[in-house]
Amino acid sequence: MAGVSSFRKNLFRGAPGALSGLLSGYTALAVAEFVASLVRPQAGPVTVVGGAAVDRTPAALKDYAIRTFGENDKFALQTGILATITLLAVVLGVVALRRRRSAAVGVLLFGVVGATAALTRPDAQGPADALPSLAGALTGAGVLYVLIGNVVSGRTAAADGAVVGSVWSRRGFLVAVSATAVAATGVGAVGRALTGRRGEGAVASRAAVELPAPASPAPPLPAGAQLKVAGISSFTTSNRDFYRVDTALVVPKVDADTWRLRVRGKGVTRPRTYTFQDLLGRPLIERDITLTCVSNEVGGPYVGHARWLGVRLADLLRECGVEPPSKGGPADQLVARSVDGMTLGSPVEDVLDGRDAMLAVGMNGEPLPFEHGFPVRMLVPGLFGYVSACKWIEDIELTTFDAYDPYWVKRSWARKAPIKTLARIDTPKPFARPDSATVTVAGVAWAQHRGIQRVEVRVDEGPWQEADLAPQAGVDTWRQWSFPWKTTPGGHTVTVRATDGTGQLQTEQRVRTIPDGASGWHSVFVTVG
């Protein structure tokens, strides 16, 4: 009982310090958010530290995060950062009860970490980016010092640790805590309001966009491209449901009126800078294109189809004097840069080989959503997104693969990544328990820029049987398929494989996503009975 009593006593003594630490951390974040709203929201400490963490995360761990958390990976990261800050704030608060100055210095060190992360981000815009972290840390350190001063009466001895006196002014402490909490909440609210206003221009510019009619419209989807099978994916993925995999912790809100795109580099004899209106004034193409993320596992969800509107990228490049290596051009890599510092590298030969590579301005009949790259993103059919689908693009540089490694290549991913042939079973779902004599097995298959020629289904170790294919909308789109399975009671493994338009059979070899995309046959286990 004496031990329990001692523990409770120590816990009670440490509680004011822990609360002081929490409030100092809360105040630091609120002030940092306010200052970031004046500088730029992307310079906030949670964002820059999170971005730095993403940049330094090994490829395998990053791939695990995407598999585990899906599109919530950014939320999971930010939650983890905030949880870490909370824990450290509590620890520093308790330490401050005996070493007030040392604890305050600890808070300042976190500000230095945030400032360093801000200044070393690929999209850093100068010394002002360090201000949110530094201002927040200075305020947080001051709050911690003052609050602890209300907990302990007396002065810290020269030894930086020995406390003279131990009378706790409860009234003064509670007043200070209440005032701090109210002030920090108010500052944070103002910061969030200002941040919202900073994006109003971008939102207004998107609302004002009137997409021109395409000079080269996409043909209507063939009748029957969407199979009438319950549980199968929609042929066209809505903008709301389209997958999003990127490293942006804060979605860039780019004003179309001030947006610019530079084209420069090796072999660019006529460098140009384009405005958004320049692109809208050019002949636009409309195409049905399926996109696939390299982080998509066999049977995974990171693939989607949309109807895109944009400028043919080859026309723009040739206007600037660019030629492919096969015609003597000195550049074999096109590096696309985003406003958030992301870099993606595409083979110049692929961009100029006649496929519908484009700078997209529209998606499914409306301007690009901010999450998908407004005002402009790049697309190259047949290539995984990490080497082609640059969102929020602002710069195109022609260079060579030997001279420059883009973001993902520096992190163990392949330089070149054509999309692999894959098929997926959408229905029945894994571990389903159908009770029908005939079950429709159905799904999608894709091999962008090659098309799908055949899909086959196997039950257990039985023979491969050809599935029924929906009409193909084009070689750059996925294709739906179905198979009427005459069931027998018991547990069964249903497997699917596809053959692309060149006659190449999808490989059975199962590999993970790193370095150039997953492969293998997708299967589901179901129990009939």
Side-chain angles (χ1 to χ4, degrees):
M1 292 300 293
V4 173
S5 177
S6 177
F7 173 77
R8 289 177 177 174
K9 185 176 181 180
N10 290 332
L11 183 64
F12 178 75
R13 287 177 176 176
L19 181 56
S20 298
L22 280 174
L23 275 174
S24 70
Y26 178 61
T27 304
L29 290 176
V31 170
E33 184 174 21
F34 172 75
V35 177
S37 72
L38 302 177
V39 177
R40 64 187 192 100
Q42 292 83 358
V46 174
T47 300
V48 296
V49 171
V54 170
D55 290 348
R56 290 162 177 77
T57 300
L61 182 57
K62 191 176 300 183
D63 195 52
Y64 170 79
I66 293 174
R67 292 198 312 271
T68 304
F69 299 108
E71 296 184 34
N72 295 317
D73 58 336
K74 300 170 188 63
F75 175 76
L77 173 62
Q78 291 172 316
T79 300
I81 291 173
L82 291 174
T84 301
I85 291 174
T86 299
L87 177 61
L88 293 173
V90 169
V91 171
L92 286 174
V94 174
V95 169
L97 289 171
R98 291 186 175 275
R99 298 183 177 273
R100 187 158 53 141
R101 291 179 183 174
S102 297
V105 170
V107 176
L108 292 175
L109 288 177
F110 283 108
V112 172
V113 170
T116 302
L119 294 175
T120 55
R121 297 294 301 137
D123 62 336
Q125 296 185 4
D129 281 0
L131 292 178
S133 294
L134 294 178
L138 283 169
T139 307
V143 166
L144 180 61
Y145 197 83
V146 170
L147 288 179
I148 292 299
N150 282 277
V151 175
V152 178
S153 176
R155 296 184 176 180
T156 304
D160 187 28
V163 177
V164 180
S166 59
V167 180
W168 175 25
S169 174
R170 289 186 178 86
R171 180 176 296 177
F173 177 70
L174 292 176
V175 170
V177 164
S178 301
T180 300
V182 171
T185 301
V187 169
V190 172
R192 286 189 292 275
L194 292 175
T195 296
R197 288 187 179 182
R198 284 179 67 94
E200 288 180 354
V203 173
S205 72
R206 182 179 182 275
V209 171
E210 294 185 9
L211 296 175
S216 174
L221 293 178
Q226 173 68 62
L227 295 179
K228 297 179 179 180
V229 177
I232 198 170
S233 301
S234 173
F235 185 86
T236 298
T237 311
S238 69
N239 293 355
R240 180 188 60 192
D241 295 331
F242 209 94
Y243 74 90
R244 179 195 165 205
V245 178
D246 54 53
T247 63
L249 297 182
V250 175
V251 174
K253 294 285 183 72
V254 181
D255 191 325
D257 296 331
T258 59
W259 175 87
R260 298 292 183 271
L261 172 69
R262 294 185 303 165
V263 181
R264 59 192 177 89
K266 294 176 68 68
V268 180
T269 59
R270 296 178 293 276
R272 289 283 304 273
T273 298
Y274 297 91
T275 67
F276 186 63
Q277 289 302 320
D278 288 337
L279 298 189
L280 292 186
R282 300 175 67 93
L284 302 182
I285 61 172
E286 183 183 58
R287 296 292 184 267
D288 285 304
I289 300 173
T290 298
L291 300 187
T292 308
C293 179
V294 74
S295 294
N296 196 47
E297 295 281 356
V298 173
Y302 302 125
V303 56
H305 177 85
R307 176 162 287 191
W308 306 91
L309 178 72
V311 174
R312 194 184 297 274
L313 182 54
D315 293 348
L316 211 68
L317 294 176
R318 291 196 172 97
E319 186 177 274
C320 296
V322 178
E323 292 290 346
S326 60
K327 294 185 179 181
D332 61 5
Q333 179 179 209
L334 181 156
V335 175
R337 287 185 173 83
S338 167
V339 299
D340 67 348
M342 175 57 64
T343 55
L344 307 181
S346 308
V348 173
E349 198 71 48
D350 290 350
V351 173
L352 296 177
D353 69 358
R355 71 185 73 194
D356 290 317
M358 70 168 76
L359 294 175
V361 297
M363 180 180 182
N364 288 331
E366 63 178 72
L368 293 172
F370 286 109
E371 293 81 2
H372 295 292
F374 181 84
V376 181
R377 73 176 294 171
M378 194 172 94
L379 302 174
V380 183
L383 302 183
F384 279 119
Y386 85 99
V387 295
S388 65
C390 184
K391 302 175 186 176
W392 315 292
I393 188 172
E394 68 171 1
D395 183 83
I396 291 177
E397 179 184 6
L398 278 296
T399 182
T400 65
F401 283 104
D402 290 338
Y404 184 80
D405 285 339
Y407 182 93
W408 291 111
V409 175
K410 293 177 182 177
R411 291 158 177 82
S412 303
W413 296 85
R415 288 180 174 181
K416 299 180 181 180
I419 292 175
K420 299 178 180 182
T421 303
L422 283 176
R424 185 181 73 196
I425 298 172
D426 286 346
T427 183
K429 299 297 183 185
F431 308 111
R433 304 183 69 88
D435 57 5
S436 302
T438 300
V439 171
T440 299
V441 182
V444 289
W446 59 88
Q448 290 91 312
H449 206 56
R450 301 184 304 279
I452 293 295
Q453 182 182 109
R454 182 183 303 108
V455 172
E456 297 167 287
V457 175
R458 182 179 68 185
V459 179
D460 299 322
E461 297 302 319
W464 287 101
Q465 301 178 71
E466 194 161 342
D468 298 320
L469 291 177
Q472 178 130 332
V475 296
D476 293 331
T477 72
W478 58 9
R479 193 171 188 179
Q480 297 190 346
W481 57 268
S482 66
F483 174 75
W485 171 31
K486 304 296 184 181
T487 64
T488 57
H492 300 282
T493 299
V494 183
T495 306
V496 65
R497 70 182 185 184
T499 301
D500 71 16
T502 70
Q504 184 66 44
L505 178 65
Q506 173 185 346
T507 179
E508 180 183 7
Q509 183 180 7
R510 197 68 175 253
V511 300
R512 302 301 293 268
T513 57
I514 301 172
D516 61 355
S519 68
W521 296 340
H522 185 220
S523 61
V524 298
F525 180 82
V526 299
T527 301
V528 179

